[in-house]
Amino acid sequence: MRERLAGLVGTTRRARWITAATAVAIVVAVIAFLTLPTDDQGIPRDEYTLAAEQICLEAKRQILASSRLARAGEDPAGTSEYARALLPAVSGWRLQLDDLEVPADRKEQAAQLTAALKEAEARIAGLVRTAEEGNRRRTLASAAAADDASTRVEEAVAALGLEECAELRLGTVPEQG
């Protein structure tokens, strides 16, 4: 047993020091690997991600501006006006993303975001329609569906690694006063 240990650790003082230093380096490397922050999704901050991030942030700025157009307390008129203003922001967002060259490793996530934006467009268009009909119960149901669709957009934004945009969370329908 001693011969095996001596062969592993080394027989000279210099060999034992090298073995000890190697063991310490391995322990430090393992600890660093376990404790250093990592990019959870492994999505690089490349040209595509930066461009998609800017498109997303601009769309959310437009959505925020649209919410200011809505007149609080004038449901369904305010909701209809707000939803009408949302449609070009959401469709423009989707169309601009479609113009980007998607890296092969993110095709699925980009497709999920496109699908979520299309669904949001459809739900917002439905909200416009029901709000203009004046049926409060149907308008509330359409608003809930639009909010659900916006949640799926937010999830797809996060999955695509658009970190800044994911931090800027916006609701679809403004709260009525």
Side-chain angles (χ1 to χ4, degrees):
M1 179 76 159
R2 282 189 176 165
E3 289 176 13
R4 286 186 184 172
L5 186 59
L8 183 62
V9 175
T11 56
T12 66
R13 182 180 171 132
R14 182 174 187 270
R16 286 190 293 263
W17 273 104
I18 291 173
T19 301
T22 303
V24 169
I26 291 171
V27 168
V28 168
V30 168
I31 290 171
F33 177 76
L34 295 174
T35 60
L36 290 177
T38 61
D39 181 1
D40 293 338
Q41 299 172 347
I43 297 175
R45 300 293 292 169
D46 58 7
E47 185 178 333
Y48 170 79
T49 303
L50 295 174
E53 185 95 65
Q54 288 307 308
I55 291 168
C56 182
L57 288 169
E58 180 55 34
K60 285 190 175 184
R61 286 184 195 105
Q62 290 175 6
I63 291 167
L64 182 58
S66 298
S67 70
R68 292 183 183 132
L69 294 175
R71 294 177 298 235
E74 293 188 26
D75 191 51
T79 301
S80 174
E81 184 178 338
Y82 176 59
R84 254 187 214 290
L86 281 179
L87 278 174
V90 175
S91 62
W93 181 359
R94 181 180 53 79
L95 292 172
Q96 285 182 329
L97 284 178
D98 285 348
D99 288 341
L100 296 178
E101 181 74 28
V102 181
D105 64 332
R106 283 165 272 166
K107 293 252 187 221
E108 184 178 327
Q109 292 94 335
Q112 288 173 354
L113 179 54
T114 297
L117 287 167
K118 283 181 181 179
E119 179 189 359
E121 285 178 76
R123 299 297 182 191
I124 293 166
L127 178 58
V128 169
R129 204 171 35 257
T130 58
E132 288 177 349
E133 290 171 0
N135 182 324
R136 183 168 173 76
R137 192 182 62 173
R138 287 189 66 214
T139 299
L140 290 174
S142 290
D147 280 341
D148 288 343
S150 74
T151 298
R152 285 185 284 285
V153 169
E154 294 292 354
E155 290 167 353
V157 164
L160 194 51
L162 307 180
E163 297 166 0
E164 289 179 52
C165 195
E167 289 175 12
L168 183 60
R169 296 186 67 84
L170 300 172
T172 302
V173 180
E175 291 183 24
Q176 299 297 318

